[in-house]
Amino acid sequence: MKQDVTEIIDQALAVLGKKWDVDNLPQAEVEFPRDEAMGDFATTIAMRLTKILKKPPQKIAGDIVDEINNQHPDFFSKIEIAGPGFINFTFRKEYFQNCLKTILAEEHSTLNTDIGKGRKIQVEFVSANPTGPLHIGHGRGAAVGNALCNILKAAGFDVQKEFYINDAGLQVKLLGQSVHARYQQLLDNDVPFPEDGYKGDYIELIAKEINRQDGSKYLNQPFNECAAFFTSYSYKMMLTNLAKDLKDFGVIFDKWQSEKELHTKGKVQESLDTLRSKQLIYDEDGAMWFKASDFEDNKDRVVKKQDGEFTYFASDICYHKDKLDRGFDTIIDIWGADHHGYIPRIRSVLEAFDLPKDKFEVILIQMVSLLRNGEPVQMSKRSGAFVTLREVIDEVGADLTKFIFLTRKADSHLDFDLDIAKEQSSDNPVFYVQYAFARISSLFRQAVEKNVSGVTGENIQDADLSVLDEDEAVSVIKKLLQYPVVFEGAVQAFEPHRITYYLQELAGVFHAYYHKHRVVSDDNATTLARLSLCKGVKLVLEEGLKMLGVSAPERM
RNA sequence: GCGCCUGUAGCUCAGUGGAUUAGAGCGCCGGCCUCCGAAGCCGGGUGUCGGAGGUUCAAGUCCUCCCAGGCGCGCCA
């Protein structure tokens, strides 16, 4: 639909451009008018041309309209010039009926635009430390990342979903030490618990599991003698649980990249050597530094500490270089907003390697404040007092949780009140959308049950769509035709939440149509036409929900 | 102190490269099931778009300053 208008305007401009003796006319932008009464599409091209042509916009608009009417008489039912120089287009009803026919014939293929053209794109998200269960903030990252990958894939990108495992460094060691202490305590060896150790119940569960498997094998062994075992056993068990939680949330990664592996394969050292050869690494105060301040960062950063250990940043230097070396056209990192200060650091790294930093994108996910009855729930992994993603899913459901996360843009704060989510659960936007889908499924079951001629399963034969000329029907078709436009915008802006809003609107116009017009009736021709409309709605609802990673139930 | 994000209806939030009269859901009030699913529909909105300047024919949208909230500013990750 959008394409049709754009092409027609461009054709008119091509002719007028010669008449006006101007080349390089700007591309005509089309948009949906705010008010449906103004028309189906509008363009501001006439106003944009006033500076170039030095003529009043209404005059230019008049020329454009005349040319369009000349080239395509009777294509539109109405073209109006309004306000300061808008051109408002209104299609004929037959146009919409034909568009619906196309959607039904081509199904999902007509909904997505090939924007990616096979380009490789990688999205790294969640990447939670394997030192504790996933919390609600990880859930938000998972929902957004997953939906983003879904739309990118649908838009023709070759997408890889990656989870970066922080299995090196102090935090996992601390995890191992915490488990070690609990293990000793379990066997009545009362060793002190590490000061900043992880205190959650899961620590004890891991300790018990080790005890179950190996008995008292490590009793009275100091941590530094069995650190490797406790650390590696603990984070691996955490990772297994993490992957399971994510899977139950509907998120499956293509690749799990180990930080530790970057070290053992010597890649970290290699990256630092390269930087040193460029004189971007220096030693000072017994530590090793990267000259980040030569680039976008405001100060230099330590890559190797005085104690000889690499920092997290050292592996991140290597990791981001490695990602681009793997041949991705774009790499997207999804981070918690509290890591935003890290962006200039990574951009500096890419610059230091002469890598194109515009291939690196960061999507920041703002904090989620978990509330219960309006009261904030404290979230601290180390104290062990937090609500896990698993608990939230069990309490309010995965579909609902994902949908809520996807109803606002990533970069805005979000209050997630468990009680409100549950209270509203019968009156919730996600059910509103799913209900429309289930309702249509029910209509088809109805039609089959009543042996409506021309309907088998959900296939409809030879429907004459000209009866779909009610205002509500036209509104529904128009809304269907907006999907590709919304989709394209969501892909280009990396904003899956736009789909969420769209689906609510689509469900809304459908419910309104349903109440006004009886679908399955004694009039066979009308039944077939209306079922066709429903089928179109169902296809788009299904597609949109799939993008969000939310289920589309046939019955509720 | 410096940096990033946010500030739109009572509440939670949309608002796509500036543009025709600023929207939705919830809540609240009133209607609608002898009829395909009432998890639904219909009707009811007087908003300093945080504030002040600026750019523009045109600003919720762009620029500057200020105010409020959140988050960063580690040889933690």
Side-chain angles (χ1 to χ4, degrees):
Chain A
M1 172 169 71
K2 182 182 178 181
Q3 213 177 350
D4 289 340
V5 186
T6 312
E7 275 172 22
I8 285 169
I9 298 169
D10 284 345
Q11 283 167 17
L13 286 177
V15 171
L16 290 169
K18 282 177 195 156
K19 199 184 282 179
W20 293 327
D21 200 25
V22 184
D23 351 283
N24 286 332
L25 285 173
Q27 184 83 23
E29 303 294 342
V30 294
E31 60 192 27
F32 300 116
R34 223 165 253 150
D35 187 345
E36 220 177 306
M38 294 175 197
D40 302 317
F41 259 106
T43 180
T44 57
I45 186 70
M47 292 179 275
R48 277 164 202 281
L49 288 172
T50 48
K51 272 184 195 153
I52 302 173
L53 299 174
K54 300 190 172 57
K55 284 198 239 177
Q58 284 90 350
K59 173 79 178 61
I60 300 169
D63 289 349
I64 294 172
V65 171
D66 288 346
E67 183 57 33
I68 290 173
N69 280 328
N70 185 32
Q71 289 184 19
H72 301 275
D74 301 327
F75 185 83
F76 295 99
S77 74
K78 195 169 65 178
I79 308 178
E80 281 181 330
I81 300 167
F86 288 92
I87 306 174
N88 293 335
F89 299 88
T90 305
F91 287 104
R92 298 179 164 280
K93 286 179 179 173
E94 301 81 58
Y95 174 81
F96 292 115
Q97 289 155 9
N98 286 332
C99 286
L100 175 61
K101 205 170 269 179
T102 308
I103 292 177
L104 293 174
E106 298 181 19
E107 300 204 335
H108 296 278
S109 64
T110 178
L111 301 176
N112 302 331
T113 321
D114 185 6
I115 299 166
K117 309 207 185 298
R119 273 176 294 172
K120 288 180 73 180
I121 189 163
Q122 195 231 36
V123 185
E124 182 226 316
F125 59 111
V126 186
S127 298
N129 270 355
T131 53
L134 295 171
H135 56 65
I136 192 78
H138 296 127
R140 188 177 187 185
V144 172
N146 198 50
L148 176 64
C149 289
N150 288 342
I151 61 175
L152 290 173
K153 262 183 211 168
F157 285 94
D158 179 3
V159 183
Q160 187 183 51
K161 302 197 255 181
E162 185 157 309
F163 186 113
Y164 182 58
I165 310 165
N166 302 127
D167 51 4
L170 273 177
Q171 298 304 324
V172 282
K173 200 168 177 181
L174 192 57
L175 171 77
Q177 198 174 353
S178 306
V179 171
H180 175 265
R182 286 282 180 256
Y183 172 87
Q184 300 297 338
Q185 289 166 1
L186 210 61
L187 299 169
D188 291 327
N189 174 20
D190 199 18
V191 301
F193 194 74
E195 195 171 332
D196 291 321
Y198 293 97
K199 296 195 175 79
D201 294 341
Y202 60 95
I203 299 295
E204 206 167 322
L205 292 178
I206 302 172
K208 279 181 180 161
E209 184 60 24
I210 292 175
N211 181 41
R212 197 182 64 78
Q213 282 184 17
D214 292 345
S216 55
K217 185 172 166 188
Y218 308 100
L219 180 59
N220 294 323
Q221 265 192 40
F223 178 65
N224 57 18
E225 282 174 25
C226 51
F229 169 77
F230 273 92
T231 301
S232 134
Y233 187 93
S234 302
Y235 81 67
K236 279 179 184 159
M237 189 160 160
M238 292 308 305
L239 269 180
T240 308
N241 292 334
L242 227 122
K244 185 175 184 312
D245 286 355
L246 286 167
K247 187 173 168 242
D248 292 345
F249 196 49
V251 181
I252 292 175
F253 285 89
D254 300 312
K255 184 167 185 198
W256 295 71
Q257 174 62 50
S258 156
E259 177 189 0
K260 203 173 164 187
E261 186 193 280
L262 297 175
H263 285 288
T264 54
K265 283 192 173 172
K267 286 189 175 179
V268 175
Q269 190 59 55
E270 196 180 301
S271 311
L272 296 179
D273 289 346
T274 306
L275 291 177
R276 190 181 281 275
S277 71
K278 295 182 174 212
Q279 266 112 53
L280 295 170
I281 295 275
Y282 62 90
D283 301 300
E284 197 176 287
D285 299 333
M288 193 189 286
W289 301 71
F290 168 60
K291 286 174 84 169
S293 63
D294 275 16
F295 307 98
E296 290 190 19
D297 209 350
N298 51 13
K299 56 197 219 182
D300 293 347
R301 304 291 173 175
V302 171
V303 292
K304 196 175 196 175
K305 299 182 270 181
Q306 285 179 331
D307 64 7
E309 297 280 335
F310 288 108
T311 60
Y312 173 85
F313 180 51
S315 19
D316 243 11
I317 289 175
C318 165
Y319 182 44
H320 284 85
K321 176 185 186 304
D322 188 63
K323 286 205 268 191
L324 283 178
D325 286 348
R326 282 194 248 157
F328 291 108
D329 195 72
T330 305
I331 56 174
I332 302 178
D333 284 14
I334 299 186
W335 294 346
D338 52 337
H339 288 65
H340 66 80
Y342 211 74
I343 297 173
R345 220 177 292 188
I346 298 298
R347 291 173 68 87
S348 298
V349 168
L350 299 180
E351 265 187 87
F353 283 115
D354 292 316
L355 289 165
K357 61 181 177 185
D358 56 315
K359 288 187 170 185
F360 170 64
E361 298 274 351
V362 178
I363 294 174
L364 294 175
I365 305 280
Q366 275 296 346
M367 307 283 106
V368 179
S369 311
L370 197 63
L371 308 173
R372 221 175 244 294
N373 263 330
E375 294 296 313
V377 179
Q378 275 306 313
M379 300 281 284
S380 165
K381 203 186 278 188
R382 283 184 192 154
S383 71
F386 56 86
V387 178
T388 61
L389 176 63
R390 159 80 46 198
E391 286 164 341
V392 173
I393 297 172
D394 290 346
E395 198 169 329
V396 304
D399 278 347
L400 177 53
T401 305
K402 278 186 271 196
F403 203 88
I404 289 176
F405 285 147
L406 292 167
T407 43
R408 48 265 286 162
K409 56 182 182 238
D411 208 348
S412 67
H413 298 262
L414 167 59
D415 285 347
F416 193 116
D417 192 311
L418 290 166
D419 291 305
I420 291 178
K422 276 191 301 182
E423 271 171 30
Q424 294 182 352
S425 67
S426 63
D427 201 12
N428 212 285
V430 65
F431 297 126
Y432 184 75
V433 175
Q434 287 178 324
Y435 187 70
F437 185 86
R439 186 174 245 176
I440 295 170
S441 307
S442 167
L443 288 172
F444 277 99
R445 288 194 294 268
Q446 240 356 277
V448 169
E449 208 172 293
K450 290 188 177 169
N451 286 315
V452 173
S453 151
V455 180
T456 42
E458 293 195 356
N459 293 315
I460 308 145
Q461 286 179 338
D462 300 328
D464 174 7
L465 301 183
S466 63
V467 298
L468 297 177
D469 64 349
E470 311 100 339
D471 288 346
E472 293 79 10
V474 172
S475 290
V476 171
I477 301 175
K478 276 186 203 171
K479 192 53 80 178
L480 292 177
L481 295 175
Q482 282 181 14
Y483 181 84
V485 180
V486 173
F487 172 78
E488 206 174 312
V491 170
Q492 267 155 356
F494 299 145
E495 288 181 351
H497 77 275
R498 296 186 192 192
I499 308 269
T500 319
Y501 276 88
Y502 167 82
L503 289 176
Q504 294 179 68
E505 289 167 12
L506 175 60
V509 291
F510 170 71
H511 286 309
Y513 177 83
Y514 174 88
H515 279 275
K516 189 107 184 241
H517 305 285
R518 189 180 176 84
V519 176
V520 181
S521 67
D522 294 335
D523 181 336
N524 186 254
T526 306
T527 301
L528 293 184
R530 290 182 175 168
L531 277 174
S532 300
L533 181 66
C534 292
K535 182 72 188 285
V537 174
K538 195 178 178 190
L539 279 169
V540 175
L541 286 174
E542 185 178 41
E543 177 73 13
L545 286 170
K546 190 175 139 201
M547 293 301 107
L548 303 182
V550 173
S551 67
E554 301 273 334
R555 296 169 199 271
M556 295 174 67

